[in-house]
Amino acid sequence: MPIMILGLSCTDMADLLRLLLRVGEKAANVARLCRQEAPLFQLLVQEKTGEDKNKKFVQDFKTLADVVIQEMIRHDVRVQFPEMAGFIHGEESNMFENGLGESVTVTVCTTEEETAKLLATVLDGDQTAASLLARAIHQDPATIEVSTDSLTIPLKPSELGIWIDPIDATSQYIKGREEVLEEGRLFPSGLHCALVLIGVYLRSTGEPVMGVINQPFNNKDPADRGWRGKHYWGVSCGNINICSESRPQNRSEGQQGLSVVLSSSEKQAVKEALTSVCGPDKLIYASGAGHKILCVIQGLADAYVLSEGSTFKWDSCAPHALLRALGGGVVDLAMSLQQSDSGAQDPSTELTYHLPHTDRKGAERWANHGGLVAYRDSSQLLSIIGALKGKL
């Protein structure tokens, strides 16, 4: 059943959701293409040595794949919603230097041929790779149907901004280890950890209000052995909370304890403190910041805890919107630990996405410096914060 809309601005918002699902699938097509087409895959995995080591265009082909996806999303959103043009942010700079030392700005051109020509200048004349990428950029994906009874969001695109993470968990994408996913089971690493993340936030408050996650490598088609993806989406605005995922059943904390997903490099003090609410067998380790929050969304873990400021707004914005739609959220860990024990979760500790850290430079301006906790249930969040107080 197609989305049923009430009001003009609501139509805009439904159109934006449909557009983000479509460009998310286009991005997934590019990510799959870079692994399945030999000319692109060779560029993706090779590392140059000796005199060629400083040829930035080859070393950074994985960055180019990121930028191509980011600029494709930026281009498509800007075409349909020009009022959002100055508020579409991404992880990567679109400035490249090719093997001749020439600076090239990577953008999506009007035609496939023009885009291929521009990409060839970045790829030092590799016409085959440039043409393959350009074709994927300009090719429309299969239509993604979004079914819901109604989507009534009193927002306009001119009130919103976007964060893009073109390929989260790049290391897993490069390694390319394949897993056959099973319902209800967390697989800590592999190609499935690579995600396209597109988050939408309110410019005025920084609240995440819409998120689209595309998992390009979800399963293989038994017929042609080609990868098929899966998409997830959520909208959270006021009392409107709609998500493609249903809210998982919470386990009995008294019987089984909470399950928390962590980075394998997490501090020992955090691991030890969490065993008091989890038990040692309920601490799970997984790759990719976006993937770990997706595990919480899917109910494969109750929470994701990160004590370091090693994630960024583009990592957390999209999945944060989905968690909000499910009644959860993502809080700043350091801020949460400073709050008094009121017995209630303080909304001011939720991550926001509109303001940079003006005392930092470059990407660090947009880091989640206080660490984070992604959660589905506020009582479980309070248990985790209680266990970590005084330990960090």
Side-chain angles (χ1 to χ4, degrees), residues 257 270-280 283 383-384 386-388 391:
V270 172
K271 297 175 186 177
E272 291 174 0
L274 288 174
T275 55
S276 66
V277 291
C278 298
L283 294 180
S383 297
I384 289 166
L388 291 173
K391 304 296 182 359

Side-chain angles (χ1 to χ4, degrees), residues 16-87:
L16 178 61
L17 175 58
R18 280 191 287 262
L19 172 63
L20 297 185
L21 286 164
R22 183 174 65 82
V23 296
E25 187 60 21
K26 280 179 74 172
N29 287 341
V30 172
R32 287 188 286 260
L33 184 79
C34 288
R35 289 201 58 86
Q36 72 193 29
E37 292 288 349
L40 297 177
F41 183 68
Q42 286 164 10
L43 287 174
L44 190 67
V45 297
Q46 71 177 313
E47 288 291 337
K48 286 290 186 179
T49 57
E51 290 182 3
D52 285 338
K53 196 167 185 180
N54 292 324
K55 283 199 174 181
K56 187 174 178 181
F57 81 97
V58 174
Q59 277 189 307
D60 286 357
F61 180 75
K62 36 187 183 292
T63 306
L64 177 60
D66 270 355
V67 171
V68 162
I69 289 172
Q70 174 183 292
E71 295 307 307
M72 178 181 68
I73 294 169
R74 194 196 304 270
H75 170 270
D76 287 12
V77 173
R78 202 162 44 201
V79 166
Q80 191 164 340
F81 296 103
E83 63 269 48
M84 299 184 74
F87 294 86

Side-chain angles (χ1 to χ4, degrees), residues 86-105:
F87 294 86
I88 306 169
H89 315 291
E91 177 182 5
E92 304 290 351
S93 165
N94 65 338
M95 288 294 294
F96 269 79
E97 186 177 297
N98 64 15
L100 300 175
E102 300 167 334
S103 290
V104 181
T105 302

Side-chain angles (χ1 to χ4, degrees), residues 24 115 199 214 230 296 327 333 351:
T115 300
N214 193 299
K230 185 173 182 181
V296 179
L333 175 57
L351 294 185

